[in-house]
Structure formats: C-alpha cells, structure tokens
Amino acid sequence: MSMPSPLTAVIFTVALLAAALPSAADAADLAPCRLKGIEREVRCGRIEVPEDPDRADGRKIAIHFAVVPALAKNKSPDPLFVLAGGPGQAATRVAPLMQPVLSRLNARRDIVYVDQRGTGDSNRLDCERGKKLLSLSESADPMRAVDQLAACAKQVGERADLRQYATWIAMRDLDAVRAVLGADRINLWGGSYGTRAALEYLRQYPQRVRSVVLDGVAPATMVLPASFGVDSDVALQRMIDACAADTACRTHYPQLDGDIKRLLFVAERGTRVPVTHPLTGEGETLPLDRSVLASLLRAPLYAPQLAAVLPFALAQAGRGNYDPLFALTSALTARMGENFAELMHFAVVCAEDMPRVDAAARAQTAATRFGTGFLDLYERACQQVPVRPVPPAFYEAPRADVPVLILSGGADPATPPRHGEVVARSLPRALHLVAPHLGHGVTQYGCAPELIGRFVRQADAPGRAVFAGIEDGKDAGCLERLPAPVVFRPPAFITP
C-alpha cells in the first residue's frame, strides 16, 4: 500500500457485438475534459450521492469520474473500472500510468477512472500543507505529523463526516457510476488497496461483475498496519538471502546482515545522525529512532530498482554515511505526495483495520526488526479520526462465480503472495500468478499487460477456459522468468 506523506512515509467482458454499441461515455451526460498525462480528450462526469448512506436526505457529496472512450466503432458493452491504491490515491491521477498498460483493452472497451470518495475531486479529505520545503527533521518527525493530522481532521470535519468514507460505503458510489454509464456488467482492475475495494464491490454486486484483476492483494482481513512489520521483515530477509546467494553482491556487501544490526543498535539509542537534504543539499542532524529506520528500510523494498541499491545504502550507513539511505526513501515518496489524501487514508484504516489489531497481532509485529513503530503511530493518529462500525460481512470473502486473475510480486513488502494465496483459495474461479523478482505492483512489467488483456477479452469462457493460454499456454510462467535487477555496485573510487 502507498505511503507517501511524512506520516505515512515514516509508518509508508461480454463478447463483441456485431452492431455498434454506445460506449459508457455516450450513455451518460459527460463533458469533454483533459487528464494530466493523457494526450487525447476524455469525458468527465460527476454524480451526487448521500455522504451518509443512512440519510438520503442529508448532505450530498460529488463523485468525480473520467471515461477514456474506446477507439473502435464496435465497442464492447462492459467497461473496465480502475480502482486506485493507498488508500488515498485518486484514480484519475493514476490514469497516465495505467493507460499505456490498458491500451489494447481500450481499443474496444471504455476505461473508467472513479475518484473514490475522499480522494481527488470527490470531496478530498486533506489539508493544504503549504509550499514550504520541510527539513528532514521536520518530515521525519512522526509526532509532528500526528499533531498536523489532528488539526487537519478538525478543519475537514467542518465539511465532511469522516465516519462515512470506508470502503463498503464507497463501493455504493462506484455502482452508482456504473448505473449512470448504463453498463450492465463491468470489469474491475484493482491495485494494492484497490484490490480490497474490488473485492468489496464483488461481494456487494456480484451480478454486476464480469471479471476482476487484482494486483497486490490487500484483503479486508489483512489487519493493517500490524502486517507492515511482518511482511516487510520477510521482504528484508529475502533481500539479505538473495545477496548472500549472489557472488557479486556477497563480494561487495559481505556484512549486509551486520550493517542492518548496527543500524538497529543506533536506532535503539535514538542517536542523532548527520544527513544531507537530497533536494537542498543542506546538512543537518536528526535522531534516528526505530520508527524512522523502519521507514528507511521498508520504502526502497517497494520497487526492485530501488531495492537493488539498498545494499549499497546500508553499507554506507554502516560507515556513517546516511545520505544514500534517506535519498532512496525520498525517491519513492516525494513523487506520490500530490496524489494522496492523507486523511482519507486514515479514515479507511482506522475504521477497517485498527479495531482488529489484537494482542497476538501486536506480539507478532513486535518480534520483527521493524517492531511496533508503524502500529504505534496509527494508534496515535486514529485517536483523531472518528469512525463508524464496519458491517461484519465486509470481512467475508466474496463467493461469486466470477473469473479473477491475481498478481503478486514475490519481493513485495506490502502485499506479498501470502495474501493473494488466501484470497485465491476463497474464490471459485481464481488464478494466482507470482512474479518472484518483482515488488509492489506487477501490471506494468514484462508480459503482464498481455496476460491481463487476454484474460479480460476471454472472461466469458466457461470454467477454467477463461485462463487458457495464461496458466497452460506458451505464456505460462512468463512472469516467473522476469529477472531481478542487478545489485548496484559502486564505482571503484567509492568505498562500498
């Protein structure tokens, strides 16, 4: 799941018809518009829905969505809806990243991006932070961020009821958009938290779903953020073991496990360390505690390209140079800040996950190298966010006989394959594919776009035939053959 803000960084189809059919963009009263990063004109719309599902006569909020119309005249009647991650990301903001991946499907299907309530232009739950560039001490201070969250919650509370932004409510909005667009059935693509949303939509509206693609499964039973420490620790150990098994990595970084242990010792003492701000070049010192270190270790593991540099950064930190370690985390988190509604993130997690954190979950995460830092921060933050009870059925796996393609990255520190396996076992027709060397997000890599396109196009096939050519054809195993990035080796003039 995405962790871009200062606080979260520290914690961090129906068959084709012969006759031309109206597209989703034609079936509703939509206006021409532009999405940043997409060259061609798209169609945008808004619908009003009750903020509180139990008060139809209460305050209304607008749900914003965009439709990228299919290019062909003979269009398929079932659009594909994209559900963004986070929680806190806006679907319309990830459209530039998704459109190249979905371009073949977009030839005959509309692609629909709905800003989930609380994100983007759908009554975004966030506060202006100003344009000031924070020092590393400020951006890495979780307590400062928690205090800001409290002020933000009070401010936003004047225009929004934070209790009404949980996933089970938001999926009612999604179905309202489907109805407005005139689509009898839809296809779903969900990434990270978006998989939780897709599963909930499938649970509530199984008759409206034609196919589902889940990339990086985060089910409702996952219990965030207790799983952060457990799954991140497994990913970290996987990196250590992979380095030990690789001659070049082992030669350059023979003390990788020891470097991490030394960092943990420094963090236990809360030692102040010198760091150069990666954007300003200004030097400063800041306390390196377990919470800060947990974020520094976890964030690069999201992307294999960054994880390939992590051994170097850890070796440098072990020698007193912390700049590479902080720069790696900044590289991942800085680009996501504009597309992240921090308060919506906590409105979801505080309602759906934190009530399920028990003593066993706390003990399990406490036993990892990441400790309970993430959990402690969420507990503190959730004291500022009002919630309403989540219906017990929300935590029940959907049983619909709908084809589901599940993708997992074997090196993912956030939504590793173990979560995908649980969901796959609960669904009557599911195929789980693992890319062993990928991290958080599989869709955009290698053969994944072709596999997704094939799956959606043949989703009306009966039984396991829907997976023909994916699990038993020439493309079977193509994700497994994607290589791991080569571990970064410094130039000769830099001591590793």
Side-chain angles (χ1 to χ4, degrees):
M1 293 191 162
S2 314
M3 300 295 132
S5 69
L7 177 57
T8 52
V10 172
I11 29 184
F12 218 25
T13 304
V14 171
L16 298 178
L17 301 183
L21 290 170
S23 71
D26 299 325
D29 185 16
L30 307 181
C33 66
R34 294 283 183 176
L35 291 182
K36 185 178 180 180
I38 296 182
E39 293 184 0
R40 64 189 180 104
E41 187 178 80
V42 302
R43 304 279 180 169
C44 291
R46 301 166 70 88
I47 59 170
E48 281 199 341
V49 298
E51 184 180 41
D52 184 342
D54 297 328
R55 297 184 57 194
D57 58 343
R59 178 165 51 195
K60 302 293 192 298
I61 59 173
I63 303 299
H64 174 258
F65 61 95
V67 181
V68 184
L71 296 174
K73 291 183 178 180
N74 292 333
K75 305 173 189 288
S76 296
D78 45 282
L80 185 143
F81 279 53
V82 172
L83 304 178
Q89 287 184 315
T92 58
R93 306 300 196 272
V94 303
L97 300 177
M98 291 300 301
Q99 276 304 117
V101 175
L102 302 175
S103 59
R104 291 188 180 183
L105 284 174
N106 195 202
R108 292 188 177 275
R109 278 183 177 80
D110 294 343
I111 309 298
V112 183
Y113 298 90
V114 181
D115 285 350
Q116 188 169 323
R117 58 167 60 199
T119 73
D121 294 324
S122 298
N123 203 32
R124 177 179 172 123
L125 301 185
D126 209 359
C127 298
E128 291 294 331
R129 300 293 190 187
K131 299 298 183 180
K132 176 189 174 184
L133 182 63
L134 299 177
S135 68
L136 287 177
S137 296
E138 291 173 320
S139 62
D141 180 5
M143 292 306 105
R144 177 182 184 274
V146 168
D147 291 340
Q148 288 183 333
L149 185 70
C152 181
K154 183 177 180 180
Q155 176 184 333
V156 172
E158 298 176 0
R159 61 173 174 81
D161 181 353
L162 300 182
R163 301 172 299 171
Q164 313 301 336
Y165 288 80
T167 311
W168 68 274
I169 300 175
M171 291 307 97
R172 298 186 179 191
D173 303 338
L174 194 78
D175 194 60
V177 173
R178 175 206 60 77
V180 165
L181 293 178
D184 184 58
R185 292 195 299 167
I186 62 176
N187 305 280
L188 300 172
W189 179 95
S192 192
Y193 161 74
T195 66
R196 178 182 292 193
L199 287 168
E200 174 60 10
Y201 185 86
L202 179 60
R203 186 187 69 80
Q204 290 193 42
Y205 305 99
Q207 74 281 8
R208 297 302 185 185
V209 182
R210 178 176 175 271
S211 73
V212 184
V213 178
L214 305 175
D215 187 351
V217 182
T221 54
M222 190 175 181
V223 190
L224 297 169
S227 66
F228 287 172
V230 175
D231 292 330
S232 297
D233 203 48
V234 172
L236 184 62
Q237 187 61 49
R238 184 185 185 281
M239 183 203 71
I240 296 171
D241 294 341
C243 185
D246 180 81
T247 301
C249 186
R250 184 174 65 249
T251 300
H252 279 81
Y253 311 107
Q255 303 297 326
L256 186 56
D257 195 29
D259 290 332
I260 295 173
K261 290 178 180 177
R262 281 190 288 275
L263 280 173
L264 289 170
F265 178 74
V266 170
E268 288 289 355
R269 301 170 62 186
T271 306
R272 298 190 70 87
V273 299
V275 183
T276 303
H277 199 293
L279 297 180
T280 67
E282 296 291 329
E284 55 182 295
T285 63
L286 71 161
L288 181 65
D289 60 20
R290 288 293 296 271
S291 294
V292 175
L293 179 60
S295 177
L296 294 174
L297 291 175
R298 183 174 188 261
L301 295 172
Y302 269 68
Q305 298 86 347
L306 297 180
V309 187
L310 188 54
F312 169 75
L314 291 170
Q316 289 290 297
R319 291 157 177 76
N321 176 16
Y322 294 89
D323 289 354
L325 197 53
F326 276 87
L328 276 181
T329 299
S330 298
L332 180 71
T333 60
R335 64 185 180 181
M336 298 176 66
E338 292 183 1
N339 181 27
F340 192 77
E342 186 174 88
L343 196 54
M344 181 272 188
H345 175 92
F346 287 99
V348 171
V349 176
C350 295
E352 299 173 7
D353 296 272
M354 293 306 293
R356 295 171 63 85
V357 175
D358 55 17
R362 174 172 281 277
Q364 189 178 23
T365 191
T368 71
R369 281 166 287 204
F370 290 82
T372 62
F374 297 128
L375 188 53
D376 295 338
L377 287 172
Y378 271 90
E379 286 180 340
R380 175 83 175 263
C382 287
Q383 294 175 9
Q384 322 297 331
V385 181
V387 300
R388 65 180 290 179
V390 174
F394 173 71
Y395 300 102
E396 298 175 1
R399 302 291 181 179
D401 186 23
V402 172
V404 180
L405 178 62
I406 302 173
L407 306 174
S408 296
D412 189 348
T415 56
R418 72 181 183 100
H419 300 295
E421 291 169 3
V422 171
V423 171
R425 287 195 299 267
S426 71
L427 293 167
R429 273 205 297 168
L431 175 63
H432 184 202
L433 301 179
V434 178
H437 302 300
L438 295 186
H440 193 57
V442 174
T443 291
Q444 70 270 38
Y445 291 100
C447 60
E450 175 56 32
L451 295 182
I452 293 171
R454 181 178 300 178
F455 167 73
V456 174
R457 287 192 296 270
Q458 60 195 35
D460 290 319
R464 303 297 296 184
V466 67
F467 303 117
I470 299 176
E471 65 177 337
D472 57 3
K474 65 179 181 179
D475 291 332
C478 63
L479 293 177
E480 296 178 4
R481 295 190 291 270
L482 292 176
V486 177
V487 175
F488 174 77
R489 291 179 285 178
F493 60 86
I494 297 180
T495 303

